[in-house]
């Protein structure tokens, strides 16, 4: 927690929609395999999936993907609490979790 009682979202994991977009190549920013990727995801869909997985998330519409400024929006997801414990023990990390890959 920050001093004013708000959550410190700056420490949360950042997910850009391009990370899971099946229409993008790895060079363009896709981070997962095509078989697990989805077509043209947006921040709201990612946030809804995080809510379904009981993971706190924050949509930042005003942020752009650094490699392509036309890709607007990102989602911050809390995987671990301030004390280091997992928010959802079934999801250990964003890379190894099949739940986040299936979004």
């Amino acid at each position: 927690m920050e001093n004013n009682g708000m959550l410190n979202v700056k420490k949360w994991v950042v997910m850009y929609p391009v990370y899971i977009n099946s229409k993008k190549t790895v060079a363009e920013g896709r981070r997962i395999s095509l078989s697990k990727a989805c077509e043209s995801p947006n921040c709201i869909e990612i946030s809804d999936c995080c809510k379904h997985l009981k993971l706190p998330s924050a949509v930042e519409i005003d942020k752009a993907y650094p490699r392509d400024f036309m890709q607007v929006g990102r989602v911050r997801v809390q995987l671990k609490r301030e004390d280091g414990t997992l928010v959802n023990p079934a999801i250990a990390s964003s890379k190894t979790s099949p739940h986040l890959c299936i979004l």
Side-chain angles (χ1 to χ4, degrees), residues 46-96:
I46 294 171
S47 177
D48 288 344
C49 291
C50 290
K51 287 177 186 161
H52 177 73
L53 296 171
K54 296 179 177 42
L55 293 173
S57 63
V59 176
E60 298 176 327
I61 296 295
D62 59 331
K63 301 295 183 177
Y65 184 59
R67 291 191 206 171
D68 182 5
F69 286 100
M70 298 306 290
Q71 299 286 330
V72 180
R74 70 181 181 191
V75 180
R76 287 197 181 255
V77 182
Q78 183 183 21
L79 296 178
K80 293 183 180 180
R81 294 184 184 92
E82 293 288 328
D83 62 359
T85 60
L86 296 173
V87 174
N88 184 344
I91 302 172
S93 77
S94 59
K95 294 200 186 258
T96 60

Side-chain angles (χ1 to χ4, degrees), residues 8-25:
N8 188 3
V9 297
K10 292 188 178 203
K11 293 184 179 181
W12 294 4
V13 176
V14 174
M15 281 191 66
Y16 288 97
V18 72
Y19 290 174
I20 59 172
N21 190 344
S22 63
K23 295 195 174 237
K24 298 294 182 181
T25 64

